[in-house]
Amino acid sequence: MNFSLEGRTYVVMGVANKRSIAWGIARSLHEAGARLIFTVASERFEKSVRDLAETLEGGEESLVYECDVTNDEAIIQTFENIQKDVGVIHGLAHCIAFANRDELKDEFLNTSRDGFLTAHNISSYSLTAVARAAQPLMTDGGSILTLTYLGGEQVVKNYNVMGVAKASLDASMKYLANDLGKRNIRVNAISAGPIRTLSAKGVGDFNQILSVIEERAPLRRAVTQEEVGDTAYYLMSDLSRGVTGEIIHVDSGFNIVSY
Ligand code: NAD
């Protein structure tokens, strides 16, 4: 069986800086021989992503596109540009989420309508919009993955509206897996354990969440971007060719513990 991703092209959405989980995914895919294309939320992130891409061998040639996922036109245009520039893609990593900081503390009960819609728009609906725009480029079939969190399955303190958005993302992933399976496109999610990133900083008491993992997770430690990246490699490769509609927990086993 061929484990290499050589000759394949993957779109990685959501690198903000070197701590981003998307960057861990990019490095694993690159190591496996993949050609990478990046999309960023705005011009603000473009230089840092170009600088990061240049640290990869041959990465100076990586294409970087601006794509704000709240804008349908921007999504369509981005994938049209990718099609023009590279033709076929073999997969896509959706590593995007956002909620207003104010919503990620105290009670979920106080979630505002705007805060609810923003979190769902960026963190959940975007997967569907992006999958729709990407699938015409996936003529050889392929793999789409998104990043989710335990807070979509269980109540996690302070995760609040983001947890509800992750539940919606998880369900969207399954519906998309069903729609796209007939085109040989698989859709899965990785449920990552807590990792210190720009987005994670917005969640109240994040340090406490991490220390609970270190104390109670079966592996007694937090996971790394690299570990999530290697599971992404599995999901992008033929090793996972029979897997779709699945949530794979990369969380030191924390999701199995109930004490
Ligand atoms: P991050 O801040 O590095 O990445 C979030 C990305 O979302 C950023 O690149 C940001 O620019 C992008 N984004 C936000 N709004 C956008 C928009 N309108 N258009 C396009 N892009 C937009 O943080 P991260 O922790 O690497 O987050 C990546 C994913 O991993 C998210 O879905 C997050 O919920 C998920 N996740 C994170 C953790 C964790 O503990 N860090 C755990 C489980 C799941």
Side-chain angles (χ1 to χ4, degrees):
M1 197 186 306
N2 182 13
F3 298 158
S4 164
L5 299 183
E6 251 160 64
R8 297 193 190 172
T9 303
Y10 295 88
V11 178
V12 178
M13 308 184 78
V15 178
N17 56 40
K18 67 174 193 237
R19 288 177 181 269
S20 294
I21 298 178
W23 181 238
I25 292 175
R27 276 183 299 162
S28 290
L29 300 185
H30 175 264
E31 235 168 81
R35 176 182 183 184
L36 300 178
I37 293 173
F38 297 94
T39 76
V40 293
S42 68
E43 223 184 319
R44 186 160 72 90
F45 296 104
E46 212 173 309
K47 180 163 181 338
S48 55
V49 172
R50 279 193 195 285
D51 289 349
L52 280 174
E54 278 176 19
T55 65
L56 303 174
E57 200 188 319
E60 58 283 349
E61 288 174 16
S62 300
L63 297 167
V64 181
Y65 301 84
E66 205 180 306
C67 181
D68 174 356
V69 297
T70 60
N71 181 335
D72 282 328
E73 269 311 302
I75 294 173
I76 291 165
Q77 194 60 57
T78 299
F79 284 92
E80 282 181 2
N81 290 340
I82 294 174
Q83 188 161 36
K84 241 187 287 149
D85 296 340
V86 304
V88 175
I89 63 167
H90 302 89
L92 175 132
H94 170 277
C95 314
I96 291 173
F98 179 81
N100 296 321
R101 232 187 156 95
D102 290 352
E103 313 278 355
L104 302 177
K105 56 181 188 196
D106 306 326
E107 294 191 335
F108 170 71
L109 187 66
N110 296 323
T111 305
S112 68
R113 188 180 299 274
D114 272 356
F116 186 95
L117 294 176
T118 297
H120 283 71
N121 188 13
I122 299 178
S123 318
S124 173
Y125 179 71
S126 62
L127 176 68
T128 301
V130 160
R132 191 166 56 241
Q135 54 99 13
L137 285 66
M138 299 177 74
T139 48
D140 295 345
S143 173
I144 295 176
L145 74 86
T146 188
L147 292 175
T148 189
Y149 181 56
L150 187 62
E153 299 171 67
Q154 296 172 11
V155 174
V156 173
K157 191 178 165 208
N158 291 328
Y159 205 60
N160 296 355
V161 70
M162 189 55 93
V164 180
K166 289 299 191 194
S168 158
L169 176 72
D170 294 353
S172 302
M173 177 277 289
K174 292 177 188 174
Y175 276 87
L176 291 169
N178 186 51
D179 287 348
L180 294 174
K182 50 190 173 290
R183 287 170 216 162
N184 197 25
I185 298 172
R186 299 179 291 107
V187 190
N188 293 285
I190 297 175
S191 182
I195 297 176
R196 213 181 288 281
T197 63
L198 197 63
S199 294
K201 272 194 200 155
V203 181
D205 293 335
F206 186 75
N207 285 342
Q208 200 202 334
I209 294 175
L210 268 182
S211 55
V212 170
I213 300 290
E214 284 159 9
E215 208 177 289
R216 296 194 208 152
L219 295 180
R220 304 292 193 279
R221 63 169 178 83
V223 293
T224 64
Q225 277 93 335
E226 289 73 24
E227 288 166 333
V228 177
D230 287 350
T231 299
Y233 162 41
Y234 157 75
L235 284 174
M236 293 302 191
S237 79
D238 294 345
L239 286 170
S240 60
R241 64 198 178 282
V243 179
T244 194
E246 193 69 66
I247 299 174
I248 300 183
H249 293 85
V250 181
D251 66 348
S252 299
F254 184 67
N255 71 96
I256 67 165
V257 175
S258 74
Y259 59 87

